[in-house]
Amino acid sequence: MAQQAQEARTDCYAAVDIGASSGRVVVGYVEDGLIRLEEVHRFDNRQVRRNGHDCWDVELLSSELVRGLARCKEEGFAPKSVGIDTWGVDFVLLDAGDNLVGDAVAYRDARTNGMYEVADAIMAPEEHYRRCGLQRQPFNTIYQFLALQREHPEQLEAADAFLMIPDYLNFLLTGVKAVEYTNASTTGLLNAETGAWDETVMEAFGIPRRLFPNVTHAGACLGPVRPEVAQAIGYDTRVVLPATHDTGSAYLAVPACEPPAVFLSSGTWSLLGVENRSPICSEGAFRANFTNEGGYHFRYRFLKNIMGLWMIQSIRRELNGITYVVDEKAIRKGRLHQYMRVEGLGHEIGFPDLIKAADEAEAAGVVASIVNVNDDRFLAPDSMIEEICAACEESGQPVPGTLGELMLCVYESLVRCYRDAVAELAALAGHEYASINIVGGGCRDGHLNRRTAELCGLPVYAGPVEGTALGNLAVQMLADGVFPHLKAVRAAIAESFDVQKVEP
């Protein structure tokens, strides 16, 4: 029950965690040595079609951010600080008057098609990896800049500042322009060794250094919120930078049971890897397409970016007739109808229904067709169901004819990718791993956890679910002296939240 407004709790912190599909505001505090969480606001994140591109609705995000902070007060909290984390790579440009230049184009937009060839003619991909250590993905910020140079060079001319999505939301709260390290490391413009902008890369690619504030690190306080923000939310607070890249925050919350452990942040994307003290920019790492993303306090997240639950989320949206991008053309039908007629599912299909369908197909002895979940064809298809079926047909495998066969195809394809990534990781590290630790929403998927343990031959430790919000709050608590160091925070997380062990 909410406390009375005059009794608002002030020994607490607010994590604003925004993913590709939804966002929420979570309040955290320590009580009797345990970390307690209360979600006070949840909202949809959406993309809109603007000027021929799929874009983030940053106006919606900013209004929901303020609404969520106001809900804190309504629920009896006045957080000492606020931290924001989101996905990586995407950005906005501001002019000298702090107005947006162009749109906040989303990473799944097709504008970066063909940019590999353009980039490789400028700098060999091996050299770029040696300098920046970033996994080759078509949506990396550097490729977005190349696309922008060709389509809208006038926007770069008019721009005065570059901010990534969480940096822009922080700017709206405080008026301070700062680019945080963990998110900056997803751009392909940051030097992996120094942690600073790589001016050699920027000069080679014609990207103006003048746009980029010097990198700021997690734990820094940007200052108090603007007076008008304080008035709107009903209290004064300050903004502290967490690891603003959501995976950076999620990795902070991994209890690391049974080390040496592989970490898996399981959500829209599956980020599978380990935490290192130095980057690995070797030829082997480049060939295996592993990335070195920045972590809290000069750590490196050495990981592989795997398509993750995006395919499952997309299937669920299609079955319920929901489009991902507002004003997008209607989802193509076809095989979709036969899945919707499955007895007992109806039209309001949830994730438990999809898991059950996969379980039943497995129990019936269905042999799953396998697709490459990291194929770019699954990044933003008009219909995920049709794309999966087409991939099976093109490879000469049985086309899924039921929902259970479809889901088993996705699950088995995903866990095989996990298995291969763990093997690659062990080869690069020179030693085997003892467990897989999964945090995030995907850790609730019992089918996925079980098959991951079975196929990888390692115990899976599933939890906590609220990994990203916990990591966000952990940095704020460290900055405020609630915990003396990261090890103490992780110990408190392990004590405060259930972790389920799944044997192989």
Side-chain angles (χ1 to χ4, degrees):
M1 181 180 295
Q3 304 171 42
Q4 296 299 315
Q6 62 269 25
E7 301 173 357
R9 182 168 192 152
T10 58
D11 60 338
C12 59
Y13 310 85
V16 181
D17 173 28
I18 307 176
S21 299
S22 65
R24 69 261 180 79
V25 179
V26 178
V27 172
Y29 54 91
V30 176
E31 192 171 74
D32 299 326
L34 301 177
I35 299 174
R36 306 297 189 188
L37 301 179
E38 291 195 34
E39 183 180 295
V40 299
H41 185 54
R42 181 175 285 269
F43 55 93
D44 288 334
N45 188 10
R46 68 187 185 195
Q47 291 180 15
V48 293
R49 192 76 176 164
R50 291 176 178 164
N51 301 313
H53 294 289
D54 296 339
C55 304
W56 298 110
D57 190 343
V58 290
E59 294 83 6
L60 172 70
L61 293 181
S62 62
S63 64
E64 291 290 355
L65 166 60
V66 172
R67 182 176 292 116
L69 295 179
R71 285 292 303 275
C72 292
K73 186 66 176 292
E74 294 169 13
E75 294 297 319
F77 300 102
K80 297 175 73 172
S81 65
V82 176
I84 301 172
D85 67 77
T86 76
W87 63 97
V89 306
D90 289 338
F91 63 93
V92 299
L93 297 175
L94 302 181
D95 64 18
D98 294 333
N99 303 301
L100 286 171
V101 177
D103 300 309
V105 179
Y107 65 85
R108 292 189 190 274
D109 184 77
R111 69 172 174 170
T112 57
N113 290 352
M115 290 303 109
Y116 281 167
E117 292 78 6
V118 175
D120 293 353
I122 298 171
M123 179 179 288
E126 295 87 347
E127 172 64 11
H128 184 235
Y129 186 84
R130 187 185 66 78
R131 300 189 69 89
C132 298
L134 189 66
Q135 180 181 9
R136 190 169 166 96
Q137 296 277 18
F139 45 70
N140 290 345
T141 312
I142 190 169
Y143 303 125
Q144 295 195 42
F145 260 97
L146 291 178
L148 187 62
Q149 287 171 348
R150 281 149 183 76
E151 185 180 11
H152 290 297
E154 76 282 359
Q155 291 183 9
L156 287 173
E157 287 293 325
D160 187 67
F162 162 96
L163 294 175
M164 305 193 77
I165 298 299
D167 306 323
Y168 178 60
L169 297 176
N170 285 332
F171 167 71
L172 294 179
L173 289 181
T174 65
V176 177
K177 296 172 187 171
V179 178
E180 190 272 328
Y181 167 66
T182 62
N183 223 320
S185 72
T186 69
T187 61
L189 300 171
L190 202 74
N191 186 280
E193 290 286 350
T194 67
W197 299 117
D198 193 311
E199 298 189 10
T200 298
V201 170
M202 287 183 165
E203 183 177 357
F205 286 88
I207 297 171
R209 172 67 177 86
R210 63 179 177 80
L211 301 180
F212 295 78
N214 289 335
V215 175
T216 306
H217 285 264
C221 179
L222 296 187
V225 296
R226 303 178 196 238
E228 57 270 29
V229 174
Q231 183 176 8
I233 65 178
Y235 55 94
D236 289 310
T237 189
R238 62 182 185 268
V239 172
V240 170
L241 293 179
T244 61
H245 188 262
D246 49 12
T247 311
S249 280
Y251 267 42
L252 275 169
V254 178
C257 305
E258 202 170 338
V262 172
F263 294 179
L264 174 57
S265 175
S266 181
T268 300
W269 291 93
S270 289
L271 296 312
L272 186 149
V274 294
E275 194 175 63
N276 291 333
R277 282 294 192 175
S278 59
I280 301 175
C281 299
S282 64
E283 182 178 352
F286 168 73
R287 298 298 174 195
N289 207 25
F290 271 74
T291 200
N292 294 271
E293 294 178 357
Y296 173 71
H297 206 232
F298 304 104
R299 289 168 172 80
Y300 291 84
R301 292 173 283 124
F302 186 62
L303 56 85
K304 174 159 281 191
N305 203 349
I306 300 167
M307 193 68 75
L309 303 186
W310 164 251
M311 297 173 76
I312 298 172
Q313 294 165 349
S314 297
I315 290 170
R316 178 177 176 268
R317 276 192 294 270
E318 287 187 48
L319 295 177
N320 289 318
I322 300 169
T323 58
Y324 183 60
V325 180
V326 177
D327 297 329
E328 185 182 29
K329 61 185 178 181
I331 293 176
R332 291 188 292 131
K333 301 298 180 183
R335 295 187 182 95
L336 178 58
H337 290 300
Q338 75 185 61
Y339 295 122
M340 294 179 75
R341 288 197 299 268
V342 174
E343 184 178 357
L345 290 184
H347 294 275
E348 292 298 324
I349 296 170
F351 293 113
D353 297 313
L354 302 181
I355 295 169
K356 180 182 177 184
D359 286 339
E360 291 175 347
E362 183 185 32
V366 170
V367 177
S369 296
I370 303 298
V371 299
N372 176 11
V373 297
N374 288 328
D375 194 317
D376 288 347
R377 69 189 299 167
F378 301 122
L379 191 61
D382 291 338
S383 165
M384 184 64 74
I385 292 172
E386 288 295 311
E387 201 66 42
I388 293 168
C389 291
C392 292
E393 190 169 26
E394 291 166 15
S395 61
Q397 301 178 86
V399 174
T402 68
L403 181 59
E405 292 173 0
L406 178 75
M407 294 311 302
L408 203 61
C409 170
V410 173
Y411 276 120
E412 289 300 301
S413 299
L414 192 57
V415 296
R416 287 178 190 225
C417 193
Y418 290 172
R419 178 198 62 189
D420 294 346
V422 171
E424 289 174 329
L425 193 62
L428 290 167
H431 63 79
E432 298 298 318
Y433 290 93
S435 67
I436 301 175
N437 290 229
I438 305 178
V439 297
C443 79
R444 292 178 291 194
D445 191 320
H447 184 103
L448 185 57
N449 293 341
R450 175 176 57 80
R451 287 298 293 142
T452 299
E454 290 171 352
L455 207 61
C456 295
L458 295 172
V460 163
Y461 291 89
V465 174
E466 303 291 350
T468 306
L470 274 169
N472 182 323
L473 292 164
V475 174
Q476 296 184 63
M477 291 177 178
L478 285 166
D480 201 37
V482 176
F483 293 99
H485 43 66
L486 181 56
K487 185 176 180 180
V489 177
R490 282 179 165 157
I493 290 171
E495 181 70 18
S496 303
F497 300 93
D498 289 334
V499 175
Q500 300 296 318
K501 184 178 182 181
V502 183
E503 294 285 0

